[in-house]
DNA sequence: AAAAAAG
């Protein structure tokens, strides 16, 4: 039934007079949010509040300014909702067979090159985020940076649950993502979708909410970016009415660290290149003015850290009223004690449309039950998706635990580094990421390493943003092949060539361990993770031992002994539901729970239906775990 | 107890 969206594009001119806030909400605009933030109260509605009707929007506003908002005339709708930058590559770019749609859908749809006004002279052309002109491809370097070892993705177990789960796809070609995006996918050298993409993209394209467990290195960012970009390109949106300097993004992507937000922004910009979809990032520690200027140029997808976003919301520089897509990356972290209030404020107490009127996607490598319970507040009849980790841990991440007394840690680390030095491969210095518990400890270890002839740098929350970014660059480039980090670097960061993760200090939480070791063995490549264990880590013994065992790792006898002595499931954060996925759908934890309360769509009978799609799951998997857990986390 | 996220 889905018409090709090239068609929908060419039809859009005639439909464009109807503000399309479609999806499942019967094509109506979002009603005015009942909540009016304090800063918007007692202001002149015509100036500040988004207009309530298309007619009102058609009235030229006195404070129109090229650069944000754009011309208000209804006729410009034909050119799309963001008239100040056209959808060049979609149709009018001439790349598609149906290239006529661009020109037929109103002359307003000019491309980047035709933008009027010299206000942003010098920025008229979209910067090519690929850093080339489609030539000089195929160099070794390119391959290394973007190449994903797809063979490692073949045998990944996948589990889904929820109502009417859309079936997975096997190729990008099966999905109608649009020519401009397809071209970017080719530029990224993504040949075929990774398991999380195969499953998540159809779910999101179908308009469903999603809670997904998948390691970041498995293509998670693309899994939620592709359908968001396609959705924004495909549909006509009611022109965003505007208050002075307020912008109305259509999609919001939140992440727990600044670096991760930057990384998501960089990726999203590649995916949206020449699609006319504008991505902006906002995070703390950097001057806000530049970010404000970027926002004023127009924003469809806003990538942000929570603190800075709240700031922007309170300044009324951003409104969430038009949000159609909400994605939380590292969602379990976003909902833990430190972050939850801020996230609730953003999602529930500002002007964002409620669940059901927006699409919500939560991604994380781990999803403890308690967090799932909190998260269900944000979701509407969602689908739970668990994708086993890339490859089996036995061949991709080798985990080692060594008993090292506190006082011996430094010399032991030095031994490891010496050994590492001799095994550097193919000219490219291999990188070592060392995790410590405290910021002070990070500085101190970095200093000591440098004193001992090991080029090291450090990243933690007490450093300035500039220092943090510098450290990361220096590490990535190999200039300082050792990076000492706190948990700020534990999640999501995609750093190629990290050969070795050392847990100099083990975390207290096994989920943090999982995230940390996930910094190596990425994109299907192999990696090594070494942990220093001692009497301070007893509370982690059982969880660590269980995890390693599940991952077919060699568990030292002494660790097994500690584990058996430890109180049953002693760690505060045992792996809920067992199994090797980062988590399983808490709605299926058994009929004695209140799971139906969270179901939304009704949990009885087929409600809890699950379709486990195993991609060559070895028969040895699946034993010993609860019903429906088909599989292997690693 | 620590880390992160606003300035």
């Amino acid at each position: 039934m889905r018409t090709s969206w090239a068609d929908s594009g060419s039809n859009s001119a005639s439909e464009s007079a109807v503000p399309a806030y479609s999806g499942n909400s019967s094509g109506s605009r979002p009603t005015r949010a009942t909540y009016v933030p304090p800063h918007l109260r007692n202001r002149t509605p015509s100036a500040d509040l988004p207009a309530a009707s298309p007619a009102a929007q058609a009235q030229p506003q006195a404070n129109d300014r090229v650069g944000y908002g754009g011309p208000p005339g209804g006729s410009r709708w034909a050119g799309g909702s963001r008239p100040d930058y056209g959808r060049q590559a979609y149709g009018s770019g001439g790349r598609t067979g149906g290239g006529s749609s661009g020109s037929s859908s109103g002359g307003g749809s000019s491309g980047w090159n035709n933008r009027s006004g010299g206000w942003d002279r010098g920025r008229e052309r979209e910067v090519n985020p690929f850093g080339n002109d489609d030539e000089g491809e195929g160099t070794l370097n390119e391959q290394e940076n973007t190449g994903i070892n797809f063979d490692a993705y073949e045998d990944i177990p996948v589990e889904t649950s929820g109502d009417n789960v859309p079936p997975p796809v096997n190729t990008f070609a099966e999905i109608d993502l649009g020519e401009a995006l397809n071209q970017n996918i080719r530029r990224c050298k993504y040949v075929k979708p990774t398991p999380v993409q195969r499953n998540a993209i159809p779910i999101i394209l179908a308009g469903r909410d999603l809670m997904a467990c998948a390691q970041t290195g498995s293509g998670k960012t693309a899994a939620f970016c592709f359908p968001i970009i396609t959705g924004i390109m495909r549909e006509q949106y009611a022109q965003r009415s505007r208050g002075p300097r307020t912008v109305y993004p259509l999609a919001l992507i939140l992440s727990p660290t600044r670096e991760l937000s930057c990384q998501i922004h960089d990726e999203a910009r590649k995916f949206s290149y020449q699609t006319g979809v504008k991505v902006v990032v906002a995070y703390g520690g950097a001057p806000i003015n530049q970010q404000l200027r970027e926002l004023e140029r127009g924003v469809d997808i806003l990538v942000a850290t929570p603190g800075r976003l709240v700031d922007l919301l309170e300044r009324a520089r951003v409104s969430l009223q038009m949000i159609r897509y909400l994605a939380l990356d590292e969602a379990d972290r976003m909902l833990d004690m430190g972050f939850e209030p801020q996230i609730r404020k953003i999602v529930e107490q500002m002007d964002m449309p409620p669940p059901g009127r927006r699409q919500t996607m939560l991604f994380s490598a781990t999803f403890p039950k308690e967090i799932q319970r909190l998260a269900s507040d944000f979701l509407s009849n969602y689908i739970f998706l668990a994708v086993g980790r890339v490859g089996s841990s036995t061949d991709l991440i080798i985990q080692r635990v060594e008993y090292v007394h506190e006082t011996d840690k430094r010399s032991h680390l030095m031994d490891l580094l010496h050994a590492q030095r001799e095994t550097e491969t193919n000219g490219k210095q291999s990188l070592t990421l060392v995790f410590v518990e405290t910021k002070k400890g990070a500085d101190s270890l970095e200093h000591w390493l440098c004193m001992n002839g090991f080029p090291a740098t450090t990243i933690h929350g007490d450093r300035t943003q500039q220092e943090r970014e510098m450290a990361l660059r220096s590490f990535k480039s190999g200039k300082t092949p050792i990076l000492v980090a706190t948990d700020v670097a534990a999640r999501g960061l995609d750093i190629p060539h990290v050969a070795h993760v050392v847990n100099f200090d083990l975390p207290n939480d096994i989920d943090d361990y999982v995230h940390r070791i996930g910094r190596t063995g990425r994109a299907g490549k192999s990696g090594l993770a070494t942990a220093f264990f001692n009497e301070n880590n007893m509370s982690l013994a059982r969880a660590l031992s269980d995890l390693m065992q599940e991952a077919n790792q060699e568990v030292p006898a002494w660790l097994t002994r500690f584990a058996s002595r430890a109180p049953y499931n002693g760690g505060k954060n045992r792996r809920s539901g067992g199994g090797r996925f980062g988590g399983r759908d808490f709605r299926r934890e058994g009929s004695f729970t209140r799971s139906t309360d969270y179901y939304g769509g009704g949990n009885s009978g087929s409600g809890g239906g699950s379709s486990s799609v195993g991609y060559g799951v070895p028969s040895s998997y699946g034993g010993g775990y609860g019903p429906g857990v088909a599989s292997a986390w690693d």
Side-chain angles (χ1 to χ4, degrees):
Chain A
M1 156 65 207
R2 191 179 64 200
T3 56
S4 158
W5 69 289
D7 295 330
S8 74
S10 49
N11 291 338
S12 64
S14 55
E15 295 165 358
S16 63
V18 182
Y21 189 85
S22 65
N24 42 18
S25 61
S26 69
S28 64
R29 264 180 68 83
T31 53
R32 283 282 305 128
T34 49
Y35 175 80
V36 179
H39 59 275
L40 291 181
R41 294 171 194 159
N42 307 320
R43 295 238 204 143
T44 324
S46 64
D48 277 344
L49 295 179
S53 70
Q57 287 172 12
Q59 300 295 326
Q61 303 275 323
N63 55 7
D64 272 343
R65 240 175 60 183
V66 183
Y68 60 89
S75 65
R76 293 302 300 267
W77 288 18
S81 56
R82 294 167 306 289
D84 58 335
Y85 49 96
R87 294 171 184 170
Q88 180 191 26
Y90 164 34
S92 63
R95 291 187 175 84
T96 71
S100 63
S101 61
S103 50
S104 69
S105 65
S109 178
S110 57
W112 287 88
N113 304 332
N114 297 337
R115 289 219 303 213
S116 60
W119 60 276
D120 63 346
R121 206 158 35 89
R123 293 289 306 252
E124 286 166 356
R125 226 165 258 276
E126 183 176 12
V127 178
N128 182 345
F130 295 94
N132 63 38
D133 294 318
D134 289 337
E135 40 209 352
E137 304 180 359
T139 67
L140 182 60
N141 197 26
E142 285 266 350
Q143 288 290 2
E144 282 182 357
N145 285 335
T146 61
I148 290 181
N149 176 9
F150 281 93
D151 293 340
Y153 288 89
E154 287 309 313
D155 296 335
I156 304 293
V158 173
E159 183 187 315
T160 54
S161 55
D163 296 332
N164 301 317
V165 180
V169 293
N170 287 310
T171 62
F172 287 123
E174 288 173 56
I175 342 166
D176 194 14
L177 290 171
E179 184 49 36
L181 181 50
N182 279 337
Q183 180 147 353
N184 292 331
I185 291 172
R186 283 193 294 274
R187 288 181 175 120
C188 289
K189 301 182 172 51
Y190 295 169
V191 187
K192 53 183 177 178
T194 64
V196 65
Q197 292 162 3
R198 284 204 283 260
N199 288 270
I201 293 175
I203 291 171
I204 301 170
L205 282 177
R208 299 294 300 277
D209 281 5
L210 174 66
M211 181 186 290
C213 264
Q215 198 81 9
T216 315
S218 58
K220 207 155 58 77
T221 310
F224 60 78
C225 282
F226 289 177
I228 289 175
I229 291 167
T230 298
I232 290 174
M233 291 171 73
R234 192 190 266 172
E235 300 197 24
Q236 294 291 314
Y237 290 94
Q239 181 177 1
R240 278 157 283 177
S241 44
R242 59 206 165 276
R245 312 202 296 182
T246 303
V247 295
Y248 296 83
L250 300 168
L252 175 63
I253 300 171
L254 292 172
S255 93
T257 66
R258 298 162 182 173
E259 286 77 12
L260 188 50
S261 280
C262 287
Q263 179 182 301
I264 294 167
H265 172 246
D266 290 344
E267 281 196 74
R269 256 184 45 223
K270 290 179 185 169
F271 303 150
S272 63
Y273 180 53
Q274 292 186 341
T275 60
V277 175
K278 184 104 194 271
V279 190
V280 176
V281 66
Y283 55 88
I288 200 169
N289 282 332
Q290 196 185 338
Q291 291 172 10
L292 288 172
R293 276 197 302 276
E294 285 299 321
L295 286 169
E296 287 184 4
R297 296 188 162 159
V299 53
D300 296 301
I301 301 176
L302 177 59
V303 185
T305 49
R308 178 54 61 89
L309 178 60
V310 168
D311 191 353
L312 292 167
L313 291 167
E314 284 171 347
R315 293 174 191 229
R317 298 301 293 264
V318 170
S319 161
L320 301 178
Q321 200 186 355
M322 295 299 287
I323 291 293
R324 291 284 313 274
Y325 305 92
L326 168 65
L328 299 193
D329 204 1
E330 306 300 339
D332 64 334
R333 169 63 87 227
M334 302 299 276
L335 292 170
D336 80 6
M337 284 196 329
F339 271 122
E340 193 204 339
Q342 267 182 317
I343 301 301
R344 281 200 188 277
K345 175 167 188 172
I346 292 166
V347 177
E348 296 177 329
Q349 291 157 32
M350 301 306 284
D351 52 351
M352 192 187 297
R357 292 240 313 281
R358 62 162 196 258
Q359 215 179 322
T360 308
M361 295 145 269
L362 309 182
F363 282 79
S364 183
T366 54
F367 248 122
K369 217 184 332 180
E370 286 312 309
I371 300 291
Q372 290 190 37
R373 190 161 285 136
L374 289 175
S376 62
D377 289 352
F378 298 160
L379 297 159
S380 165
N381 188 26
Y382 64 95
I383 289 168
F384 181 91
L385 166 68
V387 180
R389 211 185 169 305
V390 176
S392 97
S393 58
T394 40
D395 28 355
L396 285 178
I397 300 182
I398 296 172
Q399 299 177 52
R400 290 196 188 133
V401 194
E402 293 167 0
Y403 198 94
V404 185
H405 286 290
E406 212 55 47
T407 46
D408 299 336
K409 280 183 173 178
R410 286 184 174 180
S411 64
H412 199 82
L413 176 62
M414 192 183 285
D415 291 345
L416 290 180
L417 293 173
H418 271 125
Q420 184 90 24
R421 232 177 210 180
E422 282 149 28
T423 63
E424 71 185 59
T425 46
N426 55 23
K428 189 89 179 178
Q429 173 75 356
S430 60
L431 308 180
T432 303
L433 182 49
V434 183
F435 282 105
V436 296
E437 198 57 20
T438 65
K439 295 179 275 200
K440 193 172 150 225
D443 280 335
S444 149
L445 182 58
E446 178 219 17
H447 182 247
W448 183 84
L449 284 168
C450 291
M451 296 307 285
N452 285 275
F454 288 97
T457 182
T458 181
I459 184 168
H460 61 69
D462 273 356
R463 305 200 81 195
T464 66
Q465 192 54 28
Q466 234 178 358
E467 289 170 325
R468 286 165 57 159
E469 283 167 21
M470 168 99 83
L472 204 52
R473 271 198 307 273
S474 171
F475 180 58
K476 281 183 173 178
S477 73
K479 192 174 146 209
T480 50
I482 300 164
L483 179 65
V484 183
T486 59
D487 268 332
V488 69
R491 287 167 177 264
L493 289 190
D494 190 34
I495 309 168
H497 310 297
V498 174
H500 196 176
V501 168
V502 179
N503 274 290
F504 188 89
D505 300 320
L506 271 163
N508 295 315
D509 186 327
I510 191 66
D511 285 339
D512 288 332
Y513 173 84
V514 170
H515 283 277
R516 286 179 178 187
I517 68 172
R519 295 318 96 209
T520 186
R522 300 179 66 74
K525 296 194 178 71
S526 63
L528 174 65
T530 305
F532 296 173
F533 187 101
N534 64 31
E535 59 279 6
N536 297 326
N537 310 115
M538 286 307 167
S539 65
L540 199 67
R542 178 176 286 273
L544 183 58
S545 163
D546 289 352
L547 180 86
M548 290 180 65
Q549 202 161 352
E550 284 163 8
N552 285 320
Q553 299 290 314
E554 204 173 306
V555 185
W558 56 262
L559 182 59
T560 312
R561 275 201 307 280
F562 287 137
S564 63
R565 254 182 252 159
Y568 182 70
N569 267 341
K572 57 181 167 146
N573 224 321
R574 63 184 198 282
R575 304 185 65 70
S576 62
R580 293 169 187 169
F581 287 116
R584 63 172 301 207
D585 192 346
F586 88 108
R587 296 174 298 187
R588 302 172 63 208
E589 291 293 302
S591 53
F592 55 89
T593 68
R594 298 168 293 157
S595 64
T596 48
D597 294 347
Y598 300 96
Y599 228 96
N603 189 18
S604 61
S606 65
S610 128
S611 60
S612 285
V613 183
Y615 293 99
V617 181
S619 57
S620 61
Y621 288 150
Y625 301 112
V629 178
S631 72
W633 178 74
D634 264 312

